[in-house]
Structures are given as structure tokens and as C-alpha cells.
Amino acid sequence: MIPTPPDWLAGLISVINGDKVSVSPSTLGDHSGDKWYASHVPDVVVFAESTADVSAVMKYANENRIPVTTRGAGFGYVGGAVPVRGGIVLSTMRMNRILGMHPEDGVAIVQPGVITGDLQAAAHAVGWEYPPDPASLKDCSIGGNIATNAGGPRCLKYGVTRSYVLGLEVVLASGEILRTGGRLHKNKTGFDLIGSFTGSEGMLGIITEATLRIIPKPASRAMLAAIFPEFEMAAAAVQAILNAGHLPSALEITDTFTLAAARKKLGAETFPPGDAHLIVEIDGRPAATLSEIEELHQLLTTLGATFIERAPDEASCERIWKLRREFSFSLRDTGLTKLNEDIVVPRSKLVELVTFARRLEQETGIPIACFGHAGDGNIHTNLMVRDYGDPEIRVHADAALDQLFRWILANDGAITGEHGVGLAKKPWIRQALGETAFATHKVLKNAFDPNGILNPGKFLD
């Protein structure tokens, strides 16, 4: 059935060229959701090509109380880009230019549709680095990264997206254009509006340009990939590495279930026997890297690693990272639906988290796979559910999620470290924030978007 165009379509086309507007059923379907299971078809998709386009659309939408959901590359995992109330999906993917690469100022200026991996490649071409590295960096956009304050394996040493946002151009719900920050690495002028927009999930404004901090590219990197007999020993190694004065660029841990899935997909010989896997990556000057990797090798040996693979250069490091990136695909190949929860716990509670996950697994019958960023406590805790589309099974799985999130919050953790809240974690947001913080979020939302048209239906509704 072909949807009926909204009665406000002609007015929308009058403020933006019609070739940037689509009501094609296939286009509407393609823009109805992200990587989460939920979807809702919008009335119209607008492909903005400039800040002026975004401003015109927002002014018209605000005057006519039309919902607007901004969409980048659509690689979110929590339903953040689902246009719950229909209306307009405003795509920024045609705004995909790197406007300037300025190592002399240590900045890059980009439009929101730039793919993260393309920005990294452009920085590398001038001998510099943009450190944030979400697993989907070859597919996700900078605008989406800012909207969710995306992270990645190298957050331990280099920080999350917010650490690299120096300036923003934002179109507000009214269509007004706000600029905050700029090319300066220090700037304490007024409130931290950049911090308000970073991680706001498209509910406060639409980012149309970002000035991002870049850093000199480390001259070398090296890596160790170690197997331990049990998860507890690998978790203890994480603390021991840091206590010994090392600050790796990445510390990634993997549990038994995930390793078993990877061995099945990639071949049993890919990983030697053992129930836990630990990746330690370092970078810096060549002589320092060579010396530190030797120290770390000796340390892991004394900590009980039964196998250690050394990757002394860029190519061998990438080979190990390629295996690490296969973990999610290996879990998908089990035929189960992977509910990917990017929870965070204090580093000291890694073992307690996995112990709780094993207990929850036994109580519910739902397998749970844990792997991820051990260095900052951001462990992806994946509930592996059979036939999640079955309403009865979904109720059972959601009850298990509720137990997981309640345990996380009771243990000083967070329900999301890098994916955002979106729709997936909406039921727990009041408990996660607390009533006063939730009310403060509402005050900010009402100030920036008094008519409630920006990404409605999400966690503040």
C-alpha cells in the first residue's frame, strides 16, 4: 500500500528544492529505523545538502509542528533514528565534505555526513590522527558519533568523541543557526554548549558542521594478544597492567561464549585453548614501543597467560584487530538475536559483572556473551535470544534485561557507554538519571525545543 503524502508536503517543497524531498515507499522504508529491531515509516525524507537546507526545513517544521528525526548513516544500535511520530526524516548524508584539514591548528572541519573512517584516512594522509574509533567506523558518520558521544577501543588512552569536539554549528528547532566553540583548544567563554549537544541524540538541535581536534599520529604501535585459562585471570591482568604504570591505547577482553562462537566461525585453530582473550595495544615512539611491549609480554607471562601473540607493527596489529572485529559477526552466526548492551561498570567490578551474567544465564536460560573495552569498564554484555520476534520470548528477554540493568545501576554502573539511550533503554532512563537529573534534562529540552518536534518519542517523552 502506497502511503498518502501529508497535506503539508507542498509547503515543505516550497522552502527546499523538490529533488531533495522523497516520498518513495522504498526510501521511506530505508529510513524507518537503524540497527535496532524497531522501525516506523516517516511521511517524508529530506536529503539536506547545506546548513541553509536544514534551517529552512526546521523553520517550516517548527511553524507547522511537524516532527523531525535527524538521521546520519543509520548505524545506531538503540533505535535512536526511528521516526516514532512519523513526520520528516532529515538525512545529513549528502553533507559529507571534509571542509578543512588544518594540522597547523590541530583541527579538522567537517560536515556531519562524513564517514568516521574517511576522516581518519584524511588525517593520516597529513601525518595526523583522529583517535575516536567506534567498531562501525567504516560505516558510521561523524554527526551520529557526536549525537551519541561514540567511543571505541582506544577510549582508555584517548577519550571519547566529546574529547575531540572543539566547535559546532547547530541548527536549532526554530531554524536559527547557533555556533559555539571553534578552532581553539582552550576556550572558557560561556556555558559548555558543546557538551550539551554532544550525546543529545538529536533532541536539542541538528549538527551541520563540526570542528574536531586532531593529534599527531603516533609513530608506531604494537600489540599483544593473550589467552588465559579463565576470565578472572584476564580481568586481574587488566588491573595489573595499569597498576604497573602502563597506559595502553586499548585493553580488550573476551569471554568464553564469545571465543567459542569465534572459533566456530573462524576455525578452531584461530585461538588456542583457553576461556578468556585479552588484547593489549600500545603506541608511541618506536624505541619506547619496543621496550614497553617487552615489559608487557613478561608481565602477562607472570600473570598466567598460557599463550601470547606479539604484533610488533601496523600490519600485524591490523590482523589482530580484524579478528576482534569478527566477534560480533561470530555471535550473529549463532542464529540467535544479539541484544547488544553497552553497559559500563567500575573497572574493579569486571569479574563481578561476568559472575552476575553467568548467574543470569543459568536463571533465564538465555546465553550471555561478554566482551569489549576492559580498560574503561565498557563491556558489551550481549543477551543471545532465540526468536526475539516471538512476543512471549521477548517478554522473557526484556525481563532479563531489566535484571541486568538494575544490577548495573546498583553497582555504580551506567546503562550505556557509547550507543546512547534511544528507544532500547527508554524504560530505565528515570532510574538511571534520578528524578532531579531527569527533570533537568526536560528543562533543557523545553528550552531548546519548546514545541517538542526534534526526535520525539525518545527517552524524555
Side-chain angles (χ1 to χ4, degrees), residues 177-375:
I177 300 169
L178 176 150
R179 296 192 70 95
T180 181
R183 297 165 78 114
L184 304 176
H185 289 249
K186 284 185 175 179
N187 185 348
K188 178 54 196 84
T189 309
F191 294 153
D192 182 13
L193 296 181
I194 293 171
S196 294
F197 289 111
T198 304
S200 65
E201 302 188 30
M203 293 192 288
L204 300 182
I206 299 172
I207 294 161
T208 50
E209 182 182 298
T211 301
L212 304 173
R213 181 166 70 98
I214 56 175
I215 64 174
K217 189 178 187 300
S220 69
R221 64 170 171 155
M223 184 182 289
L224 298 173
I227 294 287
F228 287 86
E230 55 189 38
F231 186 90
E232 289 81 358
M233 295 175 69
V238 170
Q239 289 288 2
I241 288 168
L242 297 168
N243 289 342
H246 299 280
L247 182 58
S249 51
L251 266 173
E252 296 284 299
I253 201 167
T254 306
D255 75 345
T256 309
F257 187 97
T258 309
L259 275 178
R263 289 180 177 119
K264 184 175 181 181
K265 175 178 170 61
L266 304 173
E269 72 287 350
T270 307
F271 299 96
D275 284 347
H277 184 257
L278 185 68
I279 290 174
V280 187
E281 182 187 71
I282 59 170
D283 59 18
R285 304 304 302 171
T289 301
L290 184 65
S291 172
E292 187 171 12
I293 206 70
E294 184 61 40
E295 286 184 35
L296 284 165
H297 192 287
Q298 294 178 17
L299 179 59
L300 291 178
T301 300
T302 64
L303 293 170
T306 54
F307 173 85
I308 302 174
E309 178 181 0
R310 187 180 297 207
D313 53 34
E314 194 83 16
S316 53
C317 285
E318 274 306 307
R319 192 191 72 77
I320 291 176
W321 276 122
K322 184 177 179 181
L323 290 177
R324 162 63 178 83
R325 295 182 189 112
E326 287 289 334
F327 287 164
S328 283
F329 299 108
S330 299
L331 292 174
R332 291 192 185 103
D333 276 8
T334 63
L336 304 173
T337 299
K338 181 166 74 76
L339 303 183
N340 183 1
E341 306 304 334
D342 62 321
I343 55 86
V344 190
V345 294
R347 258 197 322 256
S348 60
K349 295 196 175 185
L350 288 178
V351 173
E352 291 177 56
L353 168 63
V354 173
T355 300
F356 171 79
R358 294 293 158 256
R359 187 167 69 248
L360 185 62
E361 184 177 70
Q362 293 169 1
E363 292 174 357
T364 63
I366 299 173
I368 300 176
C370 299
F371 70 93
H373 319 317

